Amino acid sequence: MVLLQHILALPFLCLGYSSIAASAPANSNGDPSSSYPWQWGGAHQDVGYWFDEFQDTLATMQSPTFWNGTYWPASIQWIGAVLNTLVVASDRSLAHALQEYGGGDVPGAYTTAASIQIETQKYFSDVEAYYGDEDVIQIFDAAYDDAQWVVLEWLEAIEFINQYDAYANSALGQADIARFAHRAHIFYNIVQSQFDTSLCGGGITWNPALAPYKNAITNELFISSSIGMYLYFPGDTDTDPYPSPAYVNATNTTLPALPALAAHNPSLLTTAVEEYAWFKTHNFTDAQGLIVDGFHISDNQTTCDQRNEMVYTYNQGVLLSGLRQLWEATGDAMYLTDGYAFVQTVINATGWYARSAAEAGQWTGLGRNGIMEDYCDAPANCSQDNQIFKGIYFHHLDLFCDPLPTSTPLVAGLTKVAPAALASEHASKCASYTPWIKHNANAALSTRNSTGVIGGWWGASYVNKTQEPWPAYAAPRPRGSSDEWNEPWVLEQEPWLCRGWHCREGGRAKRGNRKRTAGLFSMRGAAAKRDANDGGRGRTVETEGSGLGVVKAASDFTLRSAS
């Protein structure tokens, strides 16, 4: 376990905002002899160390503590899709490490190339098993954001299959592509036609069972799922519209046939481009540049006139993968430039560029001491949903920073090849994020308990605290914010409560009028055992999944920097 002994004793935190410089000090290179203490990436900088930590974190998430062989019993449906996406992305990272070293051992890693090959196939078998046990009926009739996590999940699986088989000259997963594609198609079809210009000039409503709310995550997902479908969806002519053979009996609902969808349908690209243009011009960022949660529409209005100022970590990240793929499809460097700005805003908001220990310890919008936090972390009142948010951020940052292709396009005849100067600039900007990512990964690893499970408040060790609730360290939420994820009872109140025609979509009532949680302070299943330091929901598969997101990113970024 990485111990954070290099961090100096920091003063008690001062809640409230600080004016942080927007540019990095010239010496922010992760070297403890020349950097501020909170900018040190840690004693372990080599590829082998981070690769081993990544594998250990993944193994813990896939151990019997959380994984029963076909799914994660203690998780909820949409998070299961995210966890499965992380497993697939981990397989991609394992395969990339093999490819980078010519099929040989990763320098300094304990595991050999032969064992990595075995693990890659083992974890892919977990993905195949989860396909059969995914609770598709429940998530099919949930909110529009939930459906799109499933789309991204199975597109990621298809992308892994094609990349791995091209590298390894294997047929691993080829027989799965059609069924994976069909599931992605079924769930994308739920949102495909939901871009609505009658309210707020465009965008997708979060949940048709609630009053109209154009929120960031649903629309960011629509960008990423639409451009992902354009690039990686292989086409599907199966007209079966049901997510499961049991759907009709379970719901007493008959659905129309699913329309065929060809690979690389140009309308998907058009949708992604238009959705991002709408998002960019509709004031989703606060004064710091952080993405806020969304917009309500007042009665008798059609414009988005009530902004919810709440800030969550995952809202800052999902957009990044969509921007990267929009560049792949169009070659327009604007998408990359916008992505760099979003990343820089987040790093600024963690206090990474502070000039003193006291300044670094202040809440800066999305963390302190250079460590990403959600508002619920320190008081330990995160819902089950919120516990996975930070991992989602780092997963999408990782996707954004894949090297740009300079000779062979990612999708032959469809995606762009980057000029050498642009590819170099992208690599340089992404490499500059590496010390900050390692810093966050070190912080996450410092929260592990005796069984290796990562906690939720990564910054606890930096202020000499444990994972129990520390209300005095809770940052005041932004003025004008409503925290629907961690205070779900607000969904029973105005302006959330649904009273109008929009409670039904296309004549089909949406089952369930709120997000599903397993309780703010309760645990289920194998994850129910907690240690004395666990507050709120404690260490869960969601906190472990968040840890996997950042530790895998640290491994991937270190490998890129070493290449």
Side-chain angles (χ1 to χ4, degrees), residues 260-289:
L261 182 60
H264 315 310
N265 187 311
S267 68
L268 297 167
L269 173 59
T270 299
T271 294
V273 170
E274 291 179 350
E275 168 69 17
Y276 181 61
W278 173 83
F279 185 91
K280 187 175 180 178
T281 57
H282 276 72
N283 196 26
F284 271 91
T285 54
D286 64 14
Q288 285 185 272

Side-chain angles (χ1 to χ4, degrees), residues 436-513:
W436 176 73
I437 293 167
K438 289 182 179 180
H439 180 69
N440 276 266
N442 275 321
L445 291 171
S446 76
T447 68
R448 288 183 293 190
N449 64 7
S450 60
T451 62
V453 181
I454 291 172
W457 182 22
W458 297 349
S461 299
Y462 282 70
V463 291
N464 197 30
K465 299 299 179 185
T466 60
Q467 292 290 299
E468 59 191 301
W470 293 98
Y473 283 73
R477 296 202 311 261
R479 181 175 298 177
S481 66
S482 177
D483 185 5
E484 74 274 11
W485 284 111
N486 305 301
E487 298 175 351
W489 53 87
V490 302
L491 299 180
E492 302 290 346
Q493 306 167 3
E494 299 290 355
W496 303 94
L497 191 62
C498 188
R499 299 186 185 279
W501 60 267
H502 46 260
C503 296
R504 291 177 176 268
E505 184 70 19
R508 182 174 62 137
K510 287 287 180 178
R511 295 186 296 122
N513 63 352

Side-chain angles (χ1 to χ4, degrees), residues 113-170:
S115 65
I116 294 171
Q117 289 277 19
I118 293 171
E119 287 189 352
T120 302
Q121 295 180 30
K122 171 194 173 297
Y123 290 124
F124 186 73
S125 71
D126 287 352
V127 173
E128 292 177 308
Y130 186 69
Y131 178 90
D133 259 358
E134 188 167 27
D135 190 353
V136 289
I137 293 178
Q138 202 286 332
I139 202 169
F140 184 80
D141 278 335
Y144 290 145
D145 57 338
D146 291 9
Q148 295 182 88
W149 296 114
V150 178
V151 176
L152 296 185
E153 170 190 15
W154 297 109
L155 290 178
E156 185 86 14
I158 292 168
E159 192 174 357
F160 162 73
I161 291 168
N162 289 330
Q163 289 183 353
Y164 179 79
D165 291 352
Y167 151 68
N169 193 27
S170 98

